Structure formats: structure tokens, C-alpha cells
Amino acid sequence: MTITFERLSPALGALVHGLDLREPLTATSHAALHQGLLEHQVLFLRDQLLTPRQQRDVAARFGDLHIHPIYPKHPEQPEILVLDTELNDLRDNALWHTDVSFIQTPPLGSLLSARQLPPYGGDTLWASNSAAYAALSAPIRELLEGLSAWHDLSKSFPLERFGQTPDALERFNAARAANPPVRHPLVRVHPETGAKGLFVSEGFTTRIVELTESESDALLRLLFAHAARPEFQVRWQWRVGDLAFWDNRITQHYACDDYRPQRRVMHRATILGDRPRGPREAI
Ligand SMILES: O=C(O)CCC(=O)C(=O)O
Ligand SMILES: [Fe+2]
């Protein structure tokens, strides 16, 4: 069966047909999936109720996997992170963010699997950082290309929600100590396609290094609002067994917090990436 991609929105997103990830991924289907990811930035597959092991194995074909410093791990598969509203208060994912941008080598991408869902609500939205960058005026693009910013884990993992039991507090303090803020370019060159993307997100970006505090606050406010324009987005309404695979180097996402107190359970495998490079850095 051939793999085809059905585009879902102008900026990013495609539905993948003709692939069953419960079968081992052949070299040809791996290459097609990889190409599709580069082209569409986020891919969606229906009816892929993978075991944690299968999900881990598919993700591991694309790189080493990341183990999250705070979120719970699946008991049988530590590389699978469990987002379960009965285990954690997940409202902090309802903020535009690029996953784990608070480390030197943020993830290349993630595979997210829907395990249990509310009858409606709980959609996830993705936005294209390259579409956001391309829509800025030339003078602003020029300014941004020379700037860098701090990314800080504490912005999205507040102590009030991630340090409330002695165990959680210990994990939280260890995570903070192991992950001091890191500096990344404000414009990132995609390591595979060469596309330029705006590399800031409300979830983790705290301060533009080269500007004064008030300039940084004003410019970040503008960029967060710009990056979240609906023109740059695709919105996914989940069914149990759906799998989303996104390129975290050129996108950000937002998990809609509109279904509590109902339960929602997702499994994520996170693939490590490379150090973000700016347009003025030699490769
Ligand atoms: O729960 C979701 O839909 C997405 C949560 C999230 O931000 C993630 O898995 O990285
Ligand atoms: Fe996320």
C-alpha cells in the first residue's frame, strides 16, 4: 500500500493514509514518513492504538528518546510519558509552547497517542513557526535574526502544581537544578530543510537577551500574539487511537483545557533533536 498525505490546512498539517504503525516500519515507509513530516510539520494517523512498546519503537527510528524530568513515565516503558488528568493538573499545556525548549538540544519531534478522551473537547492545536516568520515584515525579520532568548522550564512547570507532595517537590527541585535556563536564537534555521522559523513560545521563553527588560517584554508579547494567529494553525479533534507526529523544531502547540473534570489520557514519545542554530551562525 502506498502512503499518501492529505493536507489539512494551508500552514501545516496532513492526514496520513496507507500506513499501519502496528507493523514494523520498513525503510521505504520510514523515509516516506520522514519526508511527510518535513513537508507538513505535523502528521495525523487514525486507528493506531499502539502498545507503549510499539510507540517507543516507532519513535526510536527517528532518534534517541528523551525522558521527561517532571511528567510521569509509563510503568512498562520509561520513554513513554503519560499525560493523565488523574495524575497531573495539565492546564499548563493550554499555552502555546515548543516541547522541552528549556534544554540545549530540544526535541526533534514527538509522537502523541490518544488513549482516553472526553466525549468532546480536548482538541490540540499546532502552529507553524515558519509561516509565522514568513508573515513578519522584512525590518522585523532582520531585527530578530540578530537576537537570542532565554528558555526556562519553570515558566510552564510552576511549583504550585508540580511541587505539592514531598515526592513531586523532590522531582521538581531536581528538574530545576538539572535544567538551568538556556539561550537559543530567536530565529531558528531548520537543520534539515533550511527553513527559517520564529523560535519563541509563551510556554518557556522568558527574556530576549540583547534588549532591555521593557523592550523584551513588549517584543515577546507581540511575537507570542503573532505566532498564535489562526492563519498559522491546524486544529485536531481526537479519536481514541489517533496518533500525532510533529516536528518540534518548527512548530508549537496548545492543548485545549476545556473538558475538565472529565478524564483525558495521552501517551507521548519524545525524540531528541539538535542544538538550535540561528541564521547568522556557521553550520
Ligand atoms: O495533551 C495534548 O493534547 C498535548 C499536550 C502536550 O503539550 C504535549 O504532549 O506535548
Ligand atoms: Fe507539549
Side-chain angles (χ1 to χ4, degrees):
M1 207 169 170
T2 39
I3 299 174
T4 56
F5 298 92
E6 180 189 344
R7 188 75 180 196
L8 296 176
S9 94
L12 80 171
L15 186 57
V16 183
H17 300 282
L19 186 61
D20 183 349
L21 291 173
R22 288 162 298 192
E23 306 288 325
L25 201 57
T26 64
T28 317
S29 41
H30 174 261
L33 199 57
H34 183 199
Q35 265 317 111
L37 184 71
L38 295 181
E39 188 173 335
H40 301 290
Q41 305 187 347
V42 55
L43 302 175
F44 303 99
L45 296 95
R46 296 278 194 198
D47 306 314
Q48 312 279 331
L49 207 54
L50 308 183
T51 64
R53 178 64 198 245
Q54 287 169 327
Q55 187 179 350
R56 181 215 160 272
D57 288 349
V58 175
R61 292 288 296 276
F62 292 86
D64 293 337
L65 302 185
H66 175 253
I67 301 214
H68 202 277
I70 291 184
Y71 281 134
K73 303 162 188 42
H74 192 279
E76 291 146 33
Q77 208 58 242
E79 296 101 330
I80 298 292
L81 165 169
V82 178
L83 296 167
D84 179 345
T85 48
E86 288 201 349
L87 299 178
N88 283 105
D89 183 336
L90 295 170
R91 78 183 74 185
D92 300 289
N93 283 330
L95 185 68
W96 285 100
H97 65 279
T98 291
D99 285 341
V100 198
S101 71
F102 54 81
I103 62 173
Q104 293 288 353
T105 56
L108 170 163
S110 288
L111 274 78
L112 185 66
S113 163
R115 318 303 298 193
Q116 187 175 330
L117 295 169
Y120 46 83
D123 295 357
T124 308
L125 293 87
W126 279 263
S128 166
N129 292 343
S130 53
Y133 178 78
L136 290 165
S137 64
I140 294 287
R141 288 202 305 259
E142 175 73 18
L143 168 71
L144 300 185
E145 290 202 358
L147 301 179
S148 60
W150 292 109
H151 292 240
D152 188 344
L153 153 144
S154 338
K155 201 174 176 200
S156 273
F157 292 97
L159 178 65
E160 308 85 80
R161 282 195 279 288
F162 291 90
Q164 285 315 301
T165 64
D167 267 10
L169 183 60
E170 194 178 321
R171 201 160 44 242
F172 176 84
N173 286 332
R176 281 259 293 247
N179 296 281
V182 294
R183 185 173 170 176
H184 291 308
L186 224 71
V187 177
R188 181 175 187 179
V189 178
H190 193 289
E192 295 187 80
T193 65
K196 289 180 189 172
L198 184 60
F199 197 60
V200 291
S201 72
E202 204 168 357
F204 297 115
T205 314
T206 50
R207 173 73 199 263
I208 300 177
V209 179
E210 295 81 358
L211 304 185
T212 65
E213 192 171 352
S214 66
E215 289 168 343
S216 167
D217 288 349
L219 186 53
L220 283 178
R221 207 163 32 246
L222 171 88
L223 296 176
F224 295 157
H226 174 76
R229 279 175 55 184
E231 286 81 359
F232 313 141
Q233 297 173 10
V234 65
R235 179 174 182 138
W236 187 250
Q237 204 174 352
W238 296 94
R239 291 186 211 148
V240 169
D242 284 357
L243 188 82
F245 183 10
W246 67 91
D247 187 334
N248 193 60
R249 300 165 294 189
I250 197 91
T251 61
Q252 45 192 299
H253 54 276
Y254 182 112
C256 241
D257 179 27
D258 58 358
Y259 55 87
R260 281 181 292 130
Q262 306 212 61
R263 190 174 183 192
R264 183 172 179 274
V265 183
M266 312 292 280
H267 286 174
R268 188 177 96 197
T270 311
I271 307 152
L272 277 167
D274 61 349
R275 186 175 75 77
R277 297 197 183 266
R280 298 186 188 164
E281 281 178 88
I283 304 290

